[in-house]
Amino acid sequence: MSKSKRMGRKVMRSYIISTISIALVLFMLGAVSYVTLSAISAARTLRESVVLSVEVSNDMTPESKGALEAMLGDKSVCAAYKYLTKEEKIADEAFRSQFEVDLDLLLGENPLLDSYEVTIHTDYSNREGVDMVVGTLRAMDGVEYISVPPVDIVESMHTTITEVTIALLLFLAVLLFISM
């Protein structure tokens, strides 16, 4: 009888150990899946955050403005755009906090230009795509200046996130294989 009790305890221990082992593997599988999905989401958000600031001249003709807005309205190139007047820009508290003096009072007039804040489509958020969009915009009448974010940093971070995601997916596959 004692031999069967010992056997029963050993079987019960092995059930408990195997249940805990599988639970830990499944927990790790869930945690790695969450981190992988977060990395993919971060990469997508990073690519969607490339914004150009296109400043236009004060004497821009309505025809030139219409042509510029038609180009910006092309959803295959520009995900979104917003027109900002120079009055809106100088009234912005974040902008005003950068200067200790009131620019329009100091200079007697508002020195800023009207501008468009252009969010580039993710297909064009690499160096070549941004250069193509900037070249097209610079060729348009009335465009004075284009502020371009450091796209090389975005590409570098995206490449790093992609490599981490691939490593996590491989680790996820190994964990999935172990849990079977």
Side-chain angles (χ1 to χ4, degrees), residues 53-57 113-115 138 142-148:
S53 181
V54 181
E55 294 184 354
V56 295
S57 65
L113 298 172
D114 294 343
S115 68
R138 280 201 175 116
V143 173
E144 289 287 321
Y145 178 76
I146 300 173
S147 173
V148 181

Side-chain angles (χ1 to χ4, degrees), residues 38-176:
S38 295
I40 291 170
S41 175
R44 182 176 39 254
T45 302
L46 190 63
R47 296 211 73 140
E48 292 171 351
S49 67
V50 177
V51 178
L52 304 176
S53 181
V54 181
E55 294 184 354
V56 295
S57 65
N58 291 330
D59 57 346
M60 185 177 200
T61 64
E63 294 82 20
S64 297
K65 188 174 181 179
L68 178 61
E69 287 184 356
M71 189 272 183
L72 295 177
D74 182 7
K75 293 296 180 190
S76 67
V77 176
C78 302
Y81 72 93
K82 180 181 178 185
Y83 180 72
L84 297 171
T85 64
K86 61 183 177 181
E87 290 78 20
E88 291 173 326
K89 288 168 65 175
I90 201 135
D92 183 32
E93 285 301 318
F95 176 77
R96 288 173 102 48
S97 69
Q98 294 178 1
F99 302 96
E100 293 183 14
V101 295
D102 202 1
L103 285 178
D104 49 350
L105 290 177
L106 178 69
L107 299 174
E109 67 176 324
N110 185 347
L112 302 176
L113 298 172
D114 294 343
S115 68
Y116 291 90
E117 298 298 315
V118 182
T119 304
I120 300 296
H121 194 276
T122 56
D123 294 340
Y124 293 91
S125 62
N126 54 29
R127 172 56 55 202
E128 295 81 24
V130 169
D131 288 344
M132 190 271 304
V133 171
V134 167
T136 304
L137 288 171
R138 280 201 175 116
M140 301 190 89
D141 291 333
V143 173
E144 289 287 321
Y145 178 76
I146 300 173
S147 173
V148 181
V151 180
D152 295 335
I153 294 172
V154 172
E155 283 183 335
S156 169
M157 290 177 71
H158 185 266
T159 302
T160 303
I161 289 173
T162 302
E163 290 170 356
V164 168
T165 302
I166 290 170
L168 287 173
L169 286 172
L170 289 173
F171 185 63
L172 190 65
V174 169
L175 283 177
L176 192 60

Side-chain angles (χ1 to χ4, degrees), residues 8-26:
R9 283 187 203 149
K10 285 184 180 182
V11 169
M12 187 59 114
R13 282 186 197 149
S14 69
Y15 284 150
I16 291 171
I17 290 172
S18 65
T19 302
I20 290 172
S21 298
I22 290 173
L24 286 174
V25 168
L26 290 176

